[in-house]
Amino acid sequence: MTVPDPSDGSGPGAEVAPDDPVMFDDLTPDVLDGSDDSVPAAPGVSDPGVSDPDVEVEAARAAVVHARTPANTMCSGTWTHPVSTVQFQRASGGTLAWSFKLSNAAKSALGPVVTVTMPFSYVNGKAVNPPYHPHTEPNWYNYHGSLNRFQFIGGGGGSIQTGDKVTFYWFLKGSKPGTAADRYITCRVPRPGSA
C-alpha cells in the first residue's frame, strides 16, 4: 500500500476523500515490508535490527516535517486516512484527546497484534516528551491518549493553549515480521469544548 507524500507534490490519492485533511499529514512509506532494513525503531519498541542512528534520522525528519507543515486546520473532528482514523476532541478543561483506529488495510498489512508508540511530538516547534507510551494490543483496539500539560525535551514546559501548533507522530510495529507503519498529524489546538 503506497500513500503519496504531500511534500513531493503528489497530494492525496484517490483512496482519500477530497475533504480529508490528509494534506497536513506527512507519511514515510506507511507500511514497510522491512526488505530494505529501513524500519525505524521507536523508543519502547524492541527491534535489535535497528540502530540508534536510524532513530536519530527519523527524529530529524519529524522535526523538519513539523517545521514545514502548515497547521491551519484545527485538531478537531475525524481525520480519515489509509493508515488510521484519528478522532480529536478538546475537553472544556483544556485537555486535547484523540483516538487512533487502524484502517482495514493497515490491519491486514500489519497483522493481528500491533504496538503503537508516539516517539516524537512537538508544541509550537519545540520537541516535547511524547504524551503516549507503547501499547501492544489487538489490531482492532481503539488506541487513545491525550495532551494538556507537557515538558519540553531539555527542560521547561507548560500547558497547551488554543491556537498552539502541535505535531503528533505515531509509529506502528506489526506482528507480521518486518512490518511497520507511521503517521504524522500537524494541526492547531481548538478552543476548549471542541469536538
Side-chain angles (χ1 to χ4, degrees), residues 73-152:
T73 297
M74 293 289 141
C75 308
S76 63
T78 301
W79 294 49
T80 56
H81 190 272
V83 173
S84 67
T85 296
V86 176
Q87 188 166 30
F88 287 107
Q89 181 176 12
R90 188 162 187 217
S92 57
T95 299
L96 178 64
W98 68 85
S99 68
F100 185 96
K101 294 182 181 179
L102 299 180
S103 68
N104 287 337
K107 290 177 194 175
S108 175
L110 295 168
V113 177
V114 178
T115 299
V116 174
T117 63
M118 183 180 287
F120 312 110
S121 56
Y122 296 83
V123 174
N124 295 326
K126 294 177 81 174
V128 299
N129 288 325
Y132 191 73
H133 300 288
H135 284 69
T136 301
E137 300 290 346
N139 65 14
W140 49 261
Y141 183 73
N142 180 12
Y143 301 88
H144 57 281
S146 63
L147 174 66
N148 192 344
R149 297 196 51 76
F150 58 84
Q151 293 181 342
F152 290 115

Side-chain angles (χ1 to χ4, degrees), residues 159-182:
S159 58
I160 58 170
Q161 303 297 316
T162 300
D164 283 348
K165 177 183 175 183
V166 296
T167 295
F168 298 112
Y169 169 67
W170 291 273
F171 179 79
L172 298 70
K173 177 86 171 165
S175 54
K176 286 186 179 177
T179 59
D182 63 350

